[in-house]
């Protein structure tokens, strides 16, 4: 059972480039989310989805797009990368929409550097 | 400004010592979770507390949810080097999980 799989593990971009961070889960979870983790800031929610076809913004959505065409996949797109988007990105899922009483299953992260 | 304030930010102690990590907010949460994260990995859930005043124990770890459901604490008894890591609290607000900045714990042998 793979759980939550994120690719790539590491990525270096130049300012202005675009790219997609991939996230897939094989647990049939309804809820999926993207966080970024910066030193001293903890994890901040970027976007989340409560089911296929439904997405919503988190705390820091600017500069990022998401889509949820299937239950399994929740890609995060950086439209025009900026140095401020240098961070470690985590994808997480949980069985049902609404994290109340549910644990989040995290991927192992993507370390992104924007030069 | 963090919705959830964790303290201390960093803690370095000797093996066998006790410690407490605090997670405070001015907001009420329907439940609160504690995660532990190791370098290069994603956070892993330790516990969820739901009821105001609730106390949960996980071996040497004791978690408490404040009566008003605005704060929580994590107490570790007789810390061991294997407890080293980043401890994160997270509050549930509707469909969102809001995290504190974390406490880095280093236990020296």
């Amino acid at each position: 059972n793979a759980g939550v799989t994120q690719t790539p593990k590491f990525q270096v971009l130049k300012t202005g480039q675009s790219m997609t961070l991939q996230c897939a889960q094989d647990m049939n979870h309804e809820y999926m989310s993207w966080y970024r983790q910066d030193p001293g800031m903890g994890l901040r929610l970027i976007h989340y989805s409560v089911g296929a076809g439904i997405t919503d913004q988190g705390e820091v959505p600017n500069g990022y797009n998401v889509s949820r065409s299937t239950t399994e996949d929740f890609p995060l797109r950086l439209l025009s990368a900026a140095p401020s988007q240098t961070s470690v990105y985590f994808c997480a899922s949980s069985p049902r929409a609404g994290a109340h009483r549910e644990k989040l299953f995290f991927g192992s992260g993507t370390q992104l550097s924007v030069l | 400004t963090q919705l959830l304030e964790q303290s201390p930010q960093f803690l370095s102690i000797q093996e066998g010592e006790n410690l407490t990590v605090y997670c405070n907010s001015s907001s009420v949460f329907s439940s609160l979770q504690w995660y532990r994260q190791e370098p290069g990995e994603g956070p892993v859930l330790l516990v969820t507390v739901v009821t105001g005043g609730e106390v949960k124990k996980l071996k040497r770890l004791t978690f408490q949810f404040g009566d008003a459901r605005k704060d929580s604490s994590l107490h570790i008894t007789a810390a061991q080097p294997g407890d080293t890591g980043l401890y994160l609290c997270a509050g549930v607000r509707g469909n969102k999980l809001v995290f504190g900045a974390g406490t880095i714990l280093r236990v020296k042998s």
Side-chain angles (χ1 to χ4, degrees):
Chain A
N1 194 344
V4 179
T5 302
Q6 289 184 238
T7 57
K9 184 76 173 175
F10 301 95
Q11 183 70 49
V12 179
L13 292 177
K14 293 181 179 179
T15 297
Q17 286 185 317
S18 62
M19 80 156 296
T20 299
L21 306 185
Q22 301 292 344
C23 175
Q25 52 88 13
D26 61 359
M27 299 173 283
N28 201 32
H29 284 177
E30 288 185 357
Y31 183 92
M32 296 186 75
S33 56
W34 276 101
Y35 288 86
R36 59 177 289 173
Q37 186 173 34
D38 303 291
M41 301 289 289
L43 288 146
R44 290 182 292 170
L45 182 64
I46 304 171
H47 286 286
Y48 67 97
S49 169
V50 299
I54 306 170
T55 63
D56 207 344
Q57 296 182 349
E59 304 167 71
V60 288
N62 292 340
Y64 307 96
N65 274 357
V66 292
S67 59
R68 185 94 180 272
S69 56
T70 67
T71 299
E72 294 79 20
D73 300 298
F74 191 44
L76 178 71
R77 297 181 185 84
L78 280 70
L79 307 173
S80 178
S84 61
Q85 293 179 305
T86 293
S87 187
V88 181
Y89 291 84
F90 287 97
C91 179
S93 70
S94 70
R96 289 191 298 275
H100 180 63
R101 292 181 180 270
E102 299 284 356
K103 67 184 286 186
L104 278 182
F105 294 79
F106 281 85
S108 57
T110 294
Q111 188 168 324
L112 175 68
S113 295
V114 183
L115 307 177
Chain B
T1 303
Q2 296 276 150
L3 190 60
L4 281 166
E5 298 287 342
Q6 282 190 243
S7 61
Q9 288 183 306
F10 181 77
L11 199 52
S12 181
I13 61 173
Q14 290 293 134
E15 181 177 4
E17 293 184 3
N18 302 331
L19 68 113
T20 302
V21 175
Y22 299 93
C23 177
N24 296 304
S25 178
S26 57
S27 300
V28 175
F29 293 97
S30 57
S31 64
L32 201 140
Q33 301 175 357
W34 284 91
Y35 288 79
R36 178 169 169 264
Q37 184 180 17
E38 297 193 34
E41 298 296 328
V44 176
L45 181 70
L46 295 173
V47 78
T48 300
V49 286
V50 178
T51 306
E54 182 177 4
V55 176
K56 281 192 174 179
K57 292 192 174 183
L58 188 66
K59 297 183 180 178
R60 293 175 294 100
L61 278 61
T62 301
F63 304 85
Q64 185 163 7
F65 201 12
D67 291 340
R69 291 186 287 130
K70 293 182 179 180
D71 54 84
S72 181
S73 63
L74 158 60
H75 182 78
I76 301 179
T77 303
Q80 299 177 0
D83 295 326
T84 293
L86 174 66
Y87 289 81
L88 295 155
C89 66
V92 176
R93 305 195 85 186
N95 284 333
K96 301 178 184 179
L97 195 60
V98 179
F99 282 83
T103 294
I104 298 172
L105 172 63
R106 179 187 172 198
V107 182
K108 297 174 284 186
S109 58

